[in-house]
């Protein structure tokens, strides 16, 4: 597989390798946050697109599910990111995707539902979708997850106020809107409780949506259940139904657990991943009926090109080693994310083959292969090729399923099934697999970041996930760029996005892998060393990509396609540019300008702008002040159109500052010419005092005015050298500021007043004012 642009791997090191230093107990972190300086990745030699991070919104939370599923609304240029931690949807302005900013949050609790219930405190937001006209919908799980959940509706262009809600099934885990906008379709997962004493039915909610931006009525909700598959022989062979509660009604329906929904282009059919069951359900949306279920089967890891690294202790002295090889084990695909696309009138499904074991109450589906035959577990059949390969360095530590592969007589396991395919697959809507990425994901990540191969997502590690699902593909989205169709696959554990050209479903080809993660940062280690959680997680980059949204060029704020990614562990929502091929020429020369003194004031807060008016564009710009790097921004390629970026600078004291910049792309770096900014008015201008004591009695008002110039943020009034009053001011440079201080009870005599106006950059005193009191 041809590659280009492979970056050297990082060493497994501490803070020093990152340029993080401990000085006097304080941790100095790099100014750049979330978009890391050195991306990990590689690309095919003939890659027609280039995926690169533009900017990120950070919640500052770590491992709290603060950014999960994302959805975009073109009309308002807003991106919606599910924050499950606080049960809301964060609304981001992404008109400038290099600097997404939070506008409001859609609150889901306290919303009245049309069935008479109210979404209570403690409810969990799981998923969000937005219709083209701005009707937004959030899937909300009940605080008691086995109870029925809700859909909460909102106006994507509004202030975050909910429009209403309807009740759906238990644990609504994912919601989508059909391409024609007529319906919302919800995967109600129906997982059992932690004690495995309650197991609700899984179902698919089909909700008819109003034509206007409004919440539907409760009678618009129909539940597509699985009752038709309860009869003996009705469930196709290979659909995994196991464990469960003895004697319960509808055991099949309670065992089937919808995870993810994708809808055909004609809006007639929904395809629903039943993850733990390793199957896909087909739902007729007009009738709201499940018409069929087809099993996905298993991947044969004994075939060349389909191997795995099965152990985290396969190196010397029980340490790890990269060892991707064929093994006599099969992998249950068990997809999480799924998307549908059409080629020549035929619908294809793309699945991210994550894997997910069932562990509730006393029931635990996974076991290490070496533990088969121990503690009452059936052994491996003696004639199985893995029967004598139970050492930790071989297959012994690999997690396998106890629910699949047991011989019919229950005596031993004649097949061994691991969890997940460590791949993505493409399927026909008849359940036929036409493509699987094989062992690509492990081979590629091993090449570009060998010292962090199969790392976990909450800490930088080596091989910690080899025995359990490897890189763990979590989500996938399909999008068209310049007449080609691409699949973007998020890897939950090691991180990063895999890009494949899937224009020909049977001949899909690798395009690029990019990982916006700094492996030299482990968040908990930095926090232990004194960093704040927010600073540490920002330095680490993106951890645990969970949800993806493809924004086509015609809808994008940049005019070019964009990929949005919600990262569950780092709590960050990151936008990626999808550019054309990497440039072969360095950027043209940019120019620097500033707006200081445009209002007549040479203050310490101003904007420095960089413009590239014509020629080969840059993909990033670095701004230097007096030779020191002060800011970086990623840019969208629009060659030969102009590029423009503003840097808001503040807190500069009086003096002269010299600015230069570097415009950067894959072909080189181009310097800007020097530009100087002179600051003479950093501190407040001089205020003037006055009084109204015309009758010269002991009650009067002293006023302070700053008529023009740099404003203050605070003031202090002194009487005969003693402070008698203070207050805060609203800065509105260069507009005037005015303060009045009423005084009373002054005895006859002379009083001298002085006011001091201050801001962060200095203090300025007025001239003295004398007030005479005669009576």
């Amino acid at each position: 597989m041809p590659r280009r642009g492979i970056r050297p791997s990082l060493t497994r090191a501490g803070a020093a390798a990152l340029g993080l230093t401990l000085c006097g107990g304080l941790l100095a972190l790099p100014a750049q946050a979330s978009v890391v300086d050195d991306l990990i990745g590689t690309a095919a030699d003939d890659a027609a697109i280039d995926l690169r991070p533009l900017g990120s919104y950070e919640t500052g939370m770590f491992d709290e599910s603060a950014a999960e599923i994302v959805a975009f609304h073109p009309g308002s240029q807003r991106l919606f990111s599910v924050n499950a931690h606080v049960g809301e949807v964060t609304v981001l302005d992404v008109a400038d995707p290099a600097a997404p900013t939070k506008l409001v949050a859609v609150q889901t609790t306290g919303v009245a539902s049309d069935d008479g219930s109210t979404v209570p405190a403690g409810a969990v937001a799981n998923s969000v979708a937005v219709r083209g006209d701005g009707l937004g919908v959030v899937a909300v799980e009940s605080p008691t997850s086995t109870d029925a959940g809700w859909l909460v509706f909102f106006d994507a262009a509004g202030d975050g106020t909910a429009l209403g809600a309807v009740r759906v099934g238990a644990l609504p885990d994912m919601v989508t809107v059909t391409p024609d906008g007529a319906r919302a379709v919800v995967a109600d997962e129906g997982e059992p409780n932690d004690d495995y004493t309650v197991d609700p039915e899984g179902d698919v909610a089909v909700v008819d949506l109003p034509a206007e931006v409004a919440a539907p009525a409760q009678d618009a909700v129909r539940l597509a259940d699985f009752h038709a598959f309860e009869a003996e022989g009705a469930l196709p062979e290979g659909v995994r139904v196991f464990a469960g509660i003895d004697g319960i009604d509808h055991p099949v329906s309670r065992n089937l657990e919808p995870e993810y929904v994708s809808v055909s282009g004609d809006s007639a059919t929904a395809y629903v991943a039943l993850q733990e069951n390793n199957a896909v359900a087909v739902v007729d949306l007009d009738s709201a009926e499940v018409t069929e279920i087809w099993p996905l089967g298993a991947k044969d890891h004994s075939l060349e090109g389909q191997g795995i690294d099965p152990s985290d202790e396969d190196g010397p002295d029980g340490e790890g080693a990269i060892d991707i090889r064929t093994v006599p084990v099969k992998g249950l695909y068990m997809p999480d994310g799924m998307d549908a696309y059409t080629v020549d009138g035929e619908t294809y499904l793309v699945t991210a083959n994550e894997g997910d074991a069932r562990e509730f109450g006393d029931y635990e589906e996974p076991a290490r292969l070496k533990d088969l035959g121990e503690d009452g577990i059936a052994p491996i059949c003696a004639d199985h090729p893995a029967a004598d390969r139970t050492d930790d360095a071989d297959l012994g530590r690999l997690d396998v399923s106890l629910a699949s592969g047991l011989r019919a007589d229950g005596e031993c396991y004649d097949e061994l099934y691991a969890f997940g395919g460590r791949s993505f697959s493409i399927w026909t809507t008849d359940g036929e697999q036409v493509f699987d990425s094989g062992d690509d994901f492990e081979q590629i990540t091993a090449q570009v970041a060998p010292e962090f191969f199969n790392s976990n997502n909450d800490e930088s590690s080596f091989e910690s996930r080899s025995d359990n699902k490897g890189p763990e593909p979590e989500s996938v989205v399909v999008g068209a760029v310049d007449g080609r169709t691409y699949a973007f696959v998020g890897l939950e554990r090691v991180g990063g996005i895999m890009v494949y050209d899937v224009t020909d479903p049977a001949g899909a080809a690798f395009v690029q892998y990019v990982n916006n993660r700094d492996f030299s940062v482990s968040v908990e280690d930095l926090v232990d060393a004194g960093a704040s959680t927010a600073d540490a997680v920002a330095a680490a980059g993106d951890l645990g990509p969970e949800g993806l949204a493809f924004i086509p060029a015609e809808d994008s704020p940049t005019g070019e396609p964009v990929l949005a990614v919600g990262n569950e562990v780092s709590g960050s929502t990151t936008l990626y540019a999808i550019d054309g091929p990497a440039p072969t020429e360095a950027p043209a020369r940019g120019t620097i300008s500033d707006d200081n003194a445009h209002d007549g004031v040479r203050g310490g807060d101003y904007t420095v702008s960089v413009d590239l008016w014509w020629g080969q564009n840059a993909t990033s710009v670095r701004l230097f002040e007096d030779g020191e790097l002060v800011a970086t921004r990623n840019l969208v390629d629009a060659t030969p159109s102009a590029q423009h970026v503003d840097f808001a600078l503040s807190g500069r004291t009086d003096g002269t500052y010299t600015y230069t910049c570097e415009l950067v792309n894959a072909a080189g770096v181009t310097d800007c010419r020097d530009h100087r900014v002179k600051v003479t008015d950093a501190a407040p201008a001089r205020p003037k005092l006055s009084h109204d004591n015309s009758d010269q009695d002991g009650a009067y008002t002293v006023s302070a005015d700053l008529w023009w110039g740099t404003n203050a943020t605070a003031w202090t009034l002194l009487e005969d050298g003693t402070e008698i009053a203070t207050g805060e001011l609203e800065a509105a440079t260069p507009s005037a500021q005015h303060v009045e201080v009423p005084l009373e009870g002054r005895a006859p005599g002379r009083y001298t007043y002085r006011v001091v106006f201050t801001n962060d950059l200095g203090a300025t005193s007025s001239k003295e004012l004398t007030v005479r009191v005669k009576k």
Side-chain angles (χ1 to χ4, degrees):
M1 181 180 298
R3 305 275 199 275
R4 66 164 169 80
I6 299 174
R7 294 189 180 274
S9 65
L10 297 169
T11 59
R12 217 182 311 180
L18 225 196
L20 308 182
T21 57
L22 284 169
C23 302
L26 298 177
L27 192 67
L29 289 161
Q32 179 75 8
S34 285
V35 177
V36 303
D37 290 332
D38 292 308
L39 298 173
I40 305 255
T42 184
D45 290 335
D46 59 353
I49 63 172
D50 182 36
L51 186 71
R52 59 186 179 83
L54 282 172
S56 185
Y57 171 77
E58 307 155 41
T59 62
M61 299 180 186
F62 174 65
D63 207 11
E64 297 282 0
S65 299
E68 292 193 345
I69 306 303
V70 289
F72 179 72
H73 178 228
S76 61
Q77 294 292 284
R78 292 178 172 187
L79 185 70
F80 301 84
S81 178
V82 172
N83 186 331
H85 177 70
V86 293
E88 66 183 30
V89 176
T90 303
V91 183
L92 302 176
D93 180 352
V94 294
D96 178 1
T101 57
K102 181 178 178 179
L103 297 173
V104 294
V106 178
Q107 301 294 329
T108 60
T109 57
V111 179
S113 175
D114 195 55
D115 73 330
S117 64
T118 298
V119 182
V124 179
N126 283 331
S127 181
V128 64
V130 180
R131 195 168 67 179
D133 66 350
L135 179 60
V137 54
V138 188
V140 181
E141 173 187 339
S142 171
T144 302
S145 64
T146 54
D147 291 346
W150 294 265
L151 293 186
V152 173
F153 296 86
F154 65 95
D155 181 355
D159 62 1
T161 303
L163 301 172
V166 294
R167 208 73 184 263
V168 290
L171 210 167
D173 198 39
M174 187 270 179
V175 62
T176 190
V177 174
T178 57
D180 64 6
R183 296 183 175 110
V185 187
V186 188
D188 293 324
E189 189 168 7
E191 280 188 343
N193 63 352
D194 290 340
D195 294 335
Y196 219 154
T197 56
V198 179
D199 190 359
E201 293 185 30
D203 61 58
V204 180
V206 180
V207 184
D208 297 322
L209 300 178
E212 66 276 8
V213 178
Q218 185 62 40
D219 61 11
V221 180
R222 295 173 292 164
L223 298 182
D225 60 38
F226 295 99
H227 292 178
F229 299 91
E230 296 288 350
E232 186 175 351
L235 191 69
E237 185 178 353
V239 178
R240 288 176 8 115
V241 171
F242 58 98
I245 300 172
D246 290 340
I248 202 167
D249 64 334
H250 299 114
V252 172
S253 301
R254 295 180 188 279
N255 207 286
L256 296 176
E257 296 181 357
E259 182 80 21
Y260 208 92
V261 180
S262 189
V263 179
S264 61
D266 62 5
S267 298
T269 307
Y271 300 94
V272 183
L274 308 176
Q275 185 174 26
E276 290 85 347
N277 314 105
N278 195 38
V280 170
V282 182
V283 181
D284 182 283
L285 295 178
D286 285 339
S287 63
E289 293 182 355
V290 180
T291 58
E292 63 177 310
I293 301 175
W294 34 269
L296 293 174
K299 181 174 181 173
D300 190 345
H301 292 307
S302 69
L303 300 178
E304 193 65 36
Q306 309 257 20
I308 60 173
D309 185 324
S311 176
D312 57 343
E313 295 184 2
D314 46 6
D317 301 321
E319 296 182 356
I322 299 174
D323 188 12
I324 304 165
R325 51 196 168 92
T326 58
V327 293
V329 175
K330 295 181 178 179
L332 298 167
Y333 291 102
M334 305 175 78
D336 188 336
M338 180 169 67
D339 202 2
Y341 73 113
T342 303
V343 179
D344 296 331
E346 296 293 326
T347 298
Y348 292 87
L349 303 179
V350 184
T351 60
N353 304 321
E354 179 193 27
D356 192 13
R358 182 173 291 174
E359 298 179 75
F360 296 101
D362 294 330
Y363 182 78
E364 293 187 11
E365 179 189 356
R368 293 197 187 277
L369 187 146
K370 67 180 180 181
D371 292 333
L372 299 183
E374 304 289 336
D375 298 326
I377 301 173
I380 306 172
C381 294
D383 59 350
H384 191 282
D388 58 353
R389 299 181 58 177
T390 59
D391 290 345
D392 285 349
D394 193 357
L395 300 178
R397 293 182 58 79
L398 180 66
D399 276 357
V400 294
S401 172
L402 298 181
S404 296
L406 192 63
R407 203 170 67 186
D409 61 10
E411 292 296 318
C412 60
Y413 284 91
D414 57 4
E415 293 285 4
L416 298 174
Y417 292 96
F419 298 97
R422 307 192 186 194
S423 64
F424 88 100
S425 300
I426 304 177
W427 315 78
T428 69
T429 53
D430 294 324
E432 176 190 356
Q433 186 184 94
V434 298
F435 176 83
D436 184 81
S437 61
D439 61 8
D440 280 6
F441 292 176
E442 284 189 293
Q443 296 284 4
I444 293 168
T445 55
Q447 182 182 11
V448 300
E451 296 188 24
F452 298 95
F453 173 70
N454 279 346
S455 174
N456 212 337
N457 49 21
D458 57 359
E459 65 176 350
S460 298
S461 57
F462 175 69
E463 274 245 281
S464 60
R465 300 297 301 181
S466 289
D467 56 333
N468 185 12
K469 298 183 281 188
E472 206 164 322
E474 168 79 13
S475 52
V476 61
V477 68
V478 174
V481 182
D482 295 333
R484 308 291 296 179
T485 305
Y486 297 90
F488 303 87
V489 185
L491 304 184
E492 182 178 10
R493 296 294 176 171
V494 70
I497 309 296
M498 289 283 180
V499 186
Y500 278 70
D501 186 328
V502 296
T503 308
D504 173 9
F510 171 74
V511 175
Q512 185 184 12
Y513 170 63
V514 60
N515 193 350
N516 180 46
R517 178 177 182 179
D518 191 330
F519 281 106
S520 67
V521 175
S522 279
V523 173
E524 291 180 347
D525 290 345
L526 287 189
V527 171
D528 290 344
S532 71
T533 299
D535 285 344
V537 73
D542 290 336
L543 307 174
E546 177 77 12
L548 310 178
F550 177 82
I551 304 171
E554 59 268 24
D555 295 335
S556 164
T558 67
E560 299 293 332
V562 169
L563 182 73
V565 182
N567 300 285
E568 180 180 12
V569 176
S570 57
S572 54
T573 302
T574 300
L575 291 101
Y576 287 76
I578 304 174
D579 296 325
T584 57
E585 297 179 9
R589 186 180 296 275
T591 61
I592 305 178
S593 60
D594 72 273
D595 66 355
N596 203 12
H598 283 195
D599 55 10
V601 178
R602 293 187 177 276
D605 299 343
Y606 49 89
T607 297
V608 171
S609 300
V610 177
D611 289 279
L612 197 165
W613 298 111
W614 182 263
Q616 178 61 55
N617 281 182
T619 54
S620 66
V621 57
R622 297 192 282 255
L623 182 71
F624 296 85
E625 180 184 79
D626 296 335
E628 297 292 329
L629 178 66
V630 293
T632 64
R633 287 285 293 277
N634 292 313
L635 302 172
V636 175
D637 183 19
T639 302
S641 298
Q643 289 180 312
H644 173 85
V645 62
D646 292 327
F647 297 94
L649 304 177
S650 62
R652 271 52 180 178
T653 56
D654 288 355
T656 299
Y657 299 86
T658 300
Y659 293 95
T660 187
C661 71
E662 294 177 344
L663 292 167
V664 183
N665 66 20
V669 179
T670 304
D671 294 332
C672 304
R673 293 183 178 89
D674 290 356
H675 177 82
R676 289 177 175 81
V677 177
K678 189 174 184 180
V679 177
T680 58
D681 305 314
R686 172 167 287 182
K688 182 178 180 180
L689 283 176
S690 61
H691 68 89
D692 64 357
N693 195 24
S694 57
D695 57 4
Q696 296 186 334
D697 65 4
Y700 49 89
T701 297
V702 174
S703 299
D705 289 280
L706 193 163
W707 298 111
W708 180 264
T710 301
N711 283 181
T713 55
W715 58 271
T716 301
L717 182 67
L718 297 96
E719 181 183 72
D720 296 335
T722 301
E723 179 183 313
I724 61 170
T726 63
E728 295 182 352
L729 287 166
E730 183 120 355
T733 302
S735 299
Q737 291 181 309
H738 177 76
V739 174
E740 292 183 355
V741 182
L743 303 173
E744 58 184 25
R746 266 49 179 178
R750 291 179 180 273
Y751 297 87
T752 302
Y753 295 95
R754 185 166 57 87
V755 71
V756 179
F757 273 24
T758 59
N759 64 18
D760 291 340
L761 302 179
T764 306
S765 175
S766 69
K767 293 181 180 179
E768 289 186 345
L769 172 73
T770 298
V771 179
R772 185 176 181 182
V773 177
K774 289 186 176 181
K775 54 183 178 180

